[in-house]
Amino acid sequence: MNLENKENTSLENVGNTKALNPKSLLAFEEEETKETEIDLVDMFFALFDKLHIIILCTLVGALLLNAFSYFFIKPTYQSTSKIYVVSASKDSVIDFSDINVGTSLTLDYEQLILSYPVLSKVSDSLNLNYTMKELQSMIAIENPSDTRILNITVTSTDPKEAMDIANKVMDISIDYLPDTMGSNTPNVAERARLADQKTGPSYTKYTMIGAVIGLLLSCGVIIARYLMDDTIHSAEDMEKYFGVAPLSVIPENESLDDGEEETSQKRKRKKV
């Protein structure tokens, strides 16, 4: 009995040492990495086999989104008026302190131009049917770097409306800002003009977005179908997934089918 117990324990220890053998672990990891590499290669070939479908879906996506932007998105136009901020306390001499004060005033002007008193007067004078938030979203105030110029840019689907709003915002701001801030009246640098070209939408941008969407969708569908496909296509798949090598393979030979058709035709002729 003691000898049998010793033999059993020795066999268990040998089995444990074999199970914990680092070489076997490394070999197992190498096999797993090989399988993943083979899967990625197979996935690449699956995409390559459907390359014509991917190209077609890319073109269709680009065409559809381009047509959507052309027929369903209204073109927009922009007009810009410009204000020059004056802060000089003297008639014709502007010193360095005036320049610094003028630069700081532009930041205040940006906030006050988009305030409710200014925009409400603009809306009432032009009989606009926009809410304050909609009107604010149409107006962009920009201060170019190292300047005391404010650009008032208005974006609208109507070019005349964009020009009228830009000029009206400038006119009302010139009267409202000095009274509110107690500063000098800003000067008109440039009045807005009627836009002759539309600024949006960008058909190139929508076309590129459609192409990318078509490409991603087609590749996603092909990859999903590849991952869900569990059928055996070749002898290598049988050996890969089940570890069993097939003894023989029956090839698909079209010449056999052609031979059978010829013999059947000859028999019909003899009967005739």
Side-chain angles (χ1 to χ4, degrees), residues 256-268:
L256 296 176
D257 297 334
D258 296 337
E260 291 179 356
E261 291 180 358
E262 290 179 358
T263 53
S264 62
Q265 289 177 0
K266 288 180 180 178
R267 288 175 182 175
K268 289 180 181 179

Side-chain angles (χ1 to χ4, degrees), residues 61-73:
L63 182 62
L64 288 177
L65 213 59
N66 181 278
F68 174 79
S69 63
Y70 184 80
F71 291 106
F72 296 99
I73 299 179

Side-chain angles (χ1 to χ4, degrees), residues 21-219:
N21 190 0
K23 292 183 179 180
S24 61
L25 292 175
L26 291 174
F28 180 73
E29 291 178 356
E30 288 179 357
E31 288 179 359
E32 283 190 344
T33 54
K34 286 180 180 179
E35 288 181 359
T36 55
E37 288 177 358
I38 291 172
D39 289 339
L40 292 176
V41 171
D42 291 342
M43 188 181 298
F44 172 77
F45 281 110
L47 291 173
F48 186 76
D49 290 339
K50 304 295 183 180
L51 184 61
H52 60 287
I53 297 178
I54 295 174
I55 294 174
L56 180 62
C57 291
T58 303
L59 294 176
V60 169
L63 182 62
L64 288 177
L65 213 59
N66 181 278
F68 174 79
S69 63
Y70 184 80
F71 291 106
F72 296 99
I73 299 179
K74 294 182 179 180
T76 57
Y77 301 87
Q78 287 184 347
S79 291
T80 302
S81 59
K82 297 182 179 182
I83 296 177
Y84 182 75
V85 179
V86 179
S87 61
S89 58
K90 303 171 186 178
D91 294 335
S92 59
V93 180
I94 300 177
D95 56 14
F96 184 74
S97 62
D98 290 331
I99 295 175
N100 291 332
V101 172
T103 303
S104 62
L105 284 177
T106 55
L107 300 176
D108 299 332
Y109 282 5
E110 290 181 12
Q111 299 298 321
L112 291 175
I113 288 174
L114 295 177
S115 62
Y116 178 79
V118 175
L119 296 184
S120 61
K121 292 180 181 179
V122 172
S123 180
D124 294 338
S125 60
L126 295 177
N127 295 322
L128 300 177
N129 294 323
Y130 299 111
T131 62
M132 288 297 105
K133 289 184 179 180
E134 291 174 347
L135 191 58
Q136 284 179 351
S137 63
M138 295 170 61
I139 302 172
I141 309 298
E142 181 187 4
N143 175 218
S145 59
D146 300 329
T147 66
R148 290 184 292 169
I149 296 176
L150 287 179
N151 296 330
I152 304 173
T153 303
V154 178
T155 304
S156 176
T157 55
D158 185 1
K160 187 178 183 304
E161 183 183 61
M163 180 187 68
D164 294 339
I165 293 175
N167 288 327
K168 186 59 68 174
V169 169
M170 180 180 63
D171 295 337
I172 294 175
S173 299
I174 288 175
D175 297 333
Y176 173 77
L177 295 176
D179 296 337
T180 303
M181 301 179 63
S183 60
N184 293 331
T185 304
N187 294 331
V188 177
E190 182 181 341
R191 298 191 66 84
R193 293 176 293 179
L194 186 67
D196 55 353
Q197 293 182 353
K198 57 186 177 182
T199 58
S202 176
Y203 298 128
T204 303
K205 176 182 176 181
Y206 279 93
T207 302
M208 295 299 294
I209 292 174
V212 172
I213 292 174
L215 176 65
L216 293 178
L217 286 178
S218 59
C219 291

